[in-house]
Amino acid sequence: MQLSCEKGNAMKKIFFSLIFINSILFANINAIVSILPQETFLKAIGGDKVNITVMVKPGNSPHTYEPKPSQMKAISNADIYFAIGVEFEKAWLNRFKNQNRKIKIADISKNIEKIDIEEHSHGDEKHNDHDDHDEKDPHIWTNPNNVKIIAQNIYNELIKIDTANKQYYKTNLDKFLLHIDATDKKIKSILSQKKRKLMVFHPSWGYFAKEYNLTQIAIEVEGKSPKPRELKHLIEEAREEKVNVIFTSPEFSDAIAKQIANELKIPVVKVSSLAKNWSQNLIDLAKIISQD
Ligand code: ZN
């Protein structure tokens, strides 16, 4: 009687310590990201160890986004916020911190060299000074080489908060880096080295354009639709440069792009830089650009 009771206690102890160990090894990290491509990157490295909440849902713009009450609740329960430097973060990260004092805010755009948003004069007198505003282009994830740095940053954060699974994250990181390299190679093989023009409504492809020797011509001017005179110039420029497609994205109205496209009798194609299938999305874009 005595013996079996002790045995029972011992079993209980083992049982509870197993639960305890399990809860350490399989403790899921509750993470928040701003945009869908980040979910893809974080999932690739964090695998099943990370629960991910995405702030900006498909069709919304991270320039103007405002979190919903249900998302503020997710913030309350989150361990870490992976910030990437998109516009709404500036207004909201502090509020997230107020909502949840324990949340860690990690900047995964760290070590990425940001480029200026290419200012296009659209026929207006040239900007007298290029420093009338020093906004950097936030769309860093459209260049695979930047995504390598982002991946490394995500890894560094994960192993800080979950050291026990370091090897798991490392294996995933290495696999993902290979995938990024393969993506980059594919895009390079699709796009020849000759200079091409990339006409877009919203200038979200600056890093992609720079990496693959393209020139981005944006219809939008500093977040606003072009004035009639600028529009006229854009149409002339597109004709001169033999632009054969205009890219718009679901986050923005495509009315003006369609107007230009009708004038030139070229198609409008919707591509979002915020697509979840990051790799295939870039490859598909390259394919459309390469068509003559
Ligand atoms: Zn944007």
Side-chain angles (χ1 to χ4, degrees):
M1 199 58 200
Q2 186 87 10
L3 194 73
S4 71
C5 188
E6 269 173 25
K7 234 183 179 174
N9 274 338
M11 286 298 283
K12 245 185 207 165
K13 264 188 190 159
I14 291 168
F15 181 69
F16 282 114
S17 53
L18 274 180
I19 286 183
F20 184 62
I21 289 166
N22 268 344
S23 70
I24 290 174
L25 284 180
F26 301 109
N28 268 13
I29 299 167
N30 290 319
I32 315 277
V33 298
S34 293
I35 55 170
L36 284 160
Q38 281 181 286
E39 182 186 22
T40 304
F41 308 152
L42 180 54
K43 188 120 192 74
I45 301 158
D48 55 12
K49 312 275 186 248
V50 182
N51 303 324
I52 309 170
T53 301
V54 185
M55 284 283 134
V56 184
K57 300 288 183 204
N60 292 299
S61 163
H63 294 282
T64 51
Y65 189 72
E66 293 197 356
K68 299 185 173 47
S70 65
Q71 293 180 312
M72 290 307 281
K73 221 170 166 187
I75 294 281
S76 302
N77 299 320
D79 303 301
I80 183 163
Y81 192 109
F82 289 98
I84 195 167
V86 288
E87 201 168 338
F88 88 92
E89 288 173 2
K90 274 180 225 142
W92 284 90
L93 285 180
N94 274 336
R95 291 186 228 184
F96 295 159
K97 194 83 193 173
N98 287 336
Q99 174 94 359
N100 175 1
R101 288 276 162 203
K102 284 191 201 130
I103 198 168
K104 171 156 196 217
I105 295 180
D107 172 17
I108 57 168
S109 72
K110 208 165 61 185
N111 300 329
I112 289 177
E113 203 184 308
K114 295 207 175 159
I115 60 176
D116 294 322
I117 295 178
E118 229 172 286
E119 289 304 338
H120 224 72
S121 59
H122 294 333
D124 274 346
E125 60 288 344
K126 277 211 173 87
H127 287 264
N128 29 3
D129 258 322
H130 57 270
D131 57 4
D132 44 352
H133 66 104
D134 57 353
E135 284 291 304
K136 294 286 180 187
D137 186 343
H139 310 89
I140 51 173
W141 60 94
T142 62
N143 177 351
N145 286 314
N146 288 348
V147 176
K148 279 189 180 174
I149 301 172
I150 290 171
Q152 188 66 51
N153 288 339
I154 290 172
Y155 168 78
N156 291 345
E157 293 300 333
L158 289 177
I159 61 169
K160 261 188 247 167
I161 50 178
D162 183 16
T163 320
N165 287 305
K166 187 172 176 173
Q167 196 46 54
Y168 174 81
Y169 297 129
K170 182 76 174 93
T171 307
N172 287 347
L173 172 68
D174 290 342
K175 225 166 90 185
F176 188 50
L177 291 175
L178 289 176
H179 175 65
I180 297 171
D181 273 333
T183 302
D184 177 54
K185 274 209 188 89
K186 259 186 212 157
I187 297 168
K188 280 198 175 113
S189 74
I190 295 165
L191 297 171
S192 70
Q193 285 307 299
K194 81 171 181 188
K195 276 255 180 196
R196 288 172 187 277
K197 305 287 169 176
L198 176 60
M199 192 166 206
V200 297
F201 178 74
H202 177 72
S204 46
W205 299 100
Y207 292 88
F208 182 88
K210 191 168 184 235
E211 181 65 23
Y212 299 108
N213 208 21
L214 308 159
T215 306
Q216 177 176 251
I217 304 173
I219 296 172
E220 213 181 36
V221 187
E222 285 165 18
K224 293 182 206 85
S225 290
K227 297 180 189 80
R229 187 158 67 114
E230 294 167 328
L231 187 62
K232 191 170 161 267
H233 174 78
L234 273 167
I235 292 168
E236 281 164 17
E237 189 177 8
R239 190 173 280 133
E240 266 169 38
E241 301 292 351
K242 298 189 170 55
V243 167
N244 54 8
V245 54
I246 300 176
F247 293 98
T248 61
S249 52
E251 301 87 35
F252 301 96
S253 158
D254 59 2
I256 293 168
K258 276 188 172 152
Q259 203 181 325
I260 299 173
N262 281 343
E263 192 86 24
L264 299 168
K265 300 191 171 50
I266 58 175
V268 168
V269 175
K270 265 199 174 123
V271 182
S272 177
S273 73
L274 301 167
K276 195 172 170 179
N277 59 345
W278 171 81
S279 169
Q280 194 56 50
N281 188 50
L282 295 191
I283 292 165
D284 289 344
L285 174 68
K287 282 183 183 159
I288 300 167
I289 295 168
S290 72
Q291 285 163 9
D292 276 315

